[in-house]
Amino acid sequence: LLVFQAFLDDEELASACLYEGKLKVFSALINPPFAPNNAFSINNHHPKAKTIDQKKLMQAFVSAIEQERHVVKQFSFPPEIIDLQAFYWEKYKITTRYTYRTHLSQTEDELLSRMESKLRNVIRKAEKDGMHCDLSSKDEGKAIAMILESNSMLGSKQQEMLKERLNRAIQDPNAWFLKAYLDDVLKAAALVYKNEGVYYYLFSGFERTQAHNGAGPFLIWEAIKMAKKAGGKIFDFEGSMLPEIERYFRKFGGDLQPYYSVSKAPLMIESILKLKKRNEF
């Protein structure tokens, strides 16, 4: 993991994280594993944060990245970052991706009213059945196993990385392990991660043998309410680019939010990557 920091008057002004990994067989600078973006953020406590020329800041960032000797560079920015002209000028390709975001300034009734009516009924039935949410350390091992099983389509290396990430999250004050129970039986689990007032819904898993169809929606609704109570600004349904997932998350009534990804590779390697990642290279 590489942490890039920009300083002004010897005080940190901005930072971002990138990961030294691989795309196919090529060395690459990419988003940190299982992260939605590079977490680029400006230190709002810096006395010059509001007056800084952000274009110059991004030019400094791309200049630092260009000094890294990785063959491929591909990563995303948070939706708040829209001025990426510095990357365009350095011959990066800029593509648009999408996520759904719920703004937590609304009341709980307003948030619930924006959901699809069938989804609201499913959540209410789960509540009527006695389903409840737990944030304690109880059954964390079972929750991790449940999430890993529900993400079994990942390759063995990615499974190991996900397992490590989940185990680390247990001790991370910015991470929430939410668990849904029915009659003290674990029915669903999810990991929510907060950064800069945004709560990202990253991973989830569900009990399969005696599944309750309201466990997943109930847990997301509980996560939204808890993020609101914690003073969060936004709940982000990260991972909304796959059609079947997009259809599901759309039902929760969030706003479709574009964000940007940049990529760069030598022409021959770019041609190879286009075979699998046509929308990104």
Side-chain angles (χ1 to χ4, degrees), residues 69-84:
R69 297 183 178 277
H70 300 81
V71 176
V72 181
K73 299 178 179 74
Q74 185 193 40
F75 43 87
S76 301
F77 285 83
E80 294 79 16
I81 306 299
I82 60 173
D83 187 351
L84 298 177

Side-chain angles (χ1 to χ4, degrees), residues 21 30 44 51 56 73 82 93 116 132-133 140 143 149 165 167 207 244 248-249 252 255 262 278-279:
I30 55 179
N44 291 318
T51 58
K56 288 184 178 179
K73 299 178 179 74
I82 60 173
K93 182 177 181 179
E116 185 184 84
H132 61 280
C133 180
E140 283 177 339
E149 182 182 0
R165 174 73 177 271
N167 279 308
E207 203 278 329
E244 61 275 17
Y248 177 60
F249 284 159
F252 287 87
D255 297 312
V262 300
R278 185 61 180 263
N279 293 337

Side-chain angles (χ1 to χ4, degrees), residues 8 10 12 27 33 36 50 81 84 107 117 137 163 174 201 208 236 246:
L8 183 63
D10 296 323
E12 183 186 313
S27 65
K50 293 182 178 180
I81 306 299
L84 298 177
T107 66
S117 59
S137 59
K163 184 177 181 180
N174 293 313
Y201 184 79
R208 295 177 181 273
D236 191 307
E246 185 276 338

Side-chain angles (χ1 to χ4, degrees), residues 1-276:
L1 187 69
L2 301 180
V3 179
F4 293 83
Q5 294 171 290
F7 289 87
L8 183 63
D9 300 333
D10 296 323
E11 186 176 345
E12 183 186 313
L13 176 65
S15 64
C17 296
L18 293 173
Y19 184 74
E20 294 184 299
K22 285 186 180 294
L23 282 180
K24 299 301 179 183
V25 297
F26 307 112
S27 65
L29 269 184
I30 55 179
N31 289 336
F34 309 111
N37 54 60
N38 64 8
F40 187 94
S41 61
I42 296 174
N43 176 17
N44 291 318
H45 298 293
H46 193 288
K48 297 182 180 180
K50 293 182 178 180
T51 58
I52 188 67
D53 186 331
Q54 291 193 22
K55 198 173 294 289
K56 288 184 178 179
L57 176 60
M58 297 310 290
Q59 287 174 323
F61 184 41
V62 72
S63 177
I65 290 172
E66 282 296 288
Q67 295 178 35
E68 299 294 327
R69 297 183 178 277
H70 300 81
V71 176
V72 181
K73 299 178 179 74
Q74 185 193 40
F75 43 87
S76 301
F77 285 83
E80 294 79 16
I81 306 299
I82 60 173
D83 187 351
L84 298 177
Q85 279 187 311
F87 285 87
Y88 178 81
W89 293 332
E90 284 291 338
K91 312 302 182 186
Y92 281 74
K93 182 177 181 179
I94 301 173
T95 54
T96 306
R97 300 173 67 84
Y98 295 93
T99 184
Y100 279 99
R101 284 188 155 192
T102 292
H103 294 271
L104 301 174
S105 57
Q106 302 167 87
T107 66
E108 286 189 10
D109 287 342
E110 288 172 334
L111 292 170
L112 195 60
S113 69
R114 296 191 63 173
M115 294 184 187
E116 185 184 84
S117 59
K118 291 182 179 179
L119 187 68
R120 288 199 302 269
N121 292 336
V122 167
I123 293 172
R124 285 168 177 155
K125 184 179 185 306
E127 293 171 339
K128 185 177 180 180
D129 290 344
M131 191 167 289
H132 61 280
C133 180
D134 191 303
L135 252 185
S136 71
S137 59
K138 175 184 175 184
D139 290 334
E140 283 177 339
K142 288 183 180 179
I144 288 175
M146 187 175 283
I147 292 173
L148 288 172
E149 182 182 0
S150 294
N151 289 273
S152 59
M153 75 294 294
L154 297 174
S156 58
K157 184 176 180 180
Q158 287 183 307
Q159 277 268 322
E160 285 300 314
M161 292 176 71
L162 177 55
K163 184 177 181 180
E164 181 182 358
R165 174 73 177 271
L166 293 171
N167 279 308
R168 286 185 177 182
I170 292 175
Q171 305 299 326
D172 192 331
N174 293 313
W176 287 350
F177 262 118
L178 286 83
K179 299 174 286 292
Y181 287 90
L182 186 63
D183 297 329
D184 294 324
V185 177
L186 182 63
K187 291 295 181 180
L191 176 64
V192 175
Y193 200 91
K194 68 175 180 178
N195 183 51
E196 299 290 326
V198 180
Y199 286 75
Y200 293 92
Y201 184 79
L202 290 185
F203 307 106
S204 60
F206 311 97
E207 203 278 329
R208 295 177 181 273
T209 56
Q210 294 181 320
H212 189 293
N213 70 337
F218 169 81
L219 203 54
I220 292 177
W221 174 230
E222 288 296 309
I224 291 172
K225 291 191 296 182
M226 292 173 67
K228 177 177 174 59
K229 289 177 182 176
K233 300 175 183 177
I234 292 170
F235 189 86
D236 191 307
F237 293 85
E238 197 281 317
S240 303
M241 288 299 288
L242 298 175
E244 61 275 17
I245 296 177
E246 185 276 338
R247 284 193 295 270
Y248 177 60
F249 284 159
R250 191 196 319 159
K251 296 176 181 179
F252 287 87
D255 297 312
L256 190 64
Q257 172 73 60
Y259 65 99
Y260 301 105
S261 180
V262 300
S263 60
K264 187 178 183 180
L267 183 59
M268 185 175 294
I269 294 175
E270 180 181 323
S271 300
I272 295 171
L273 292 171
K274 275 183 181 291
L275 296 175
K276 290 288 187 180

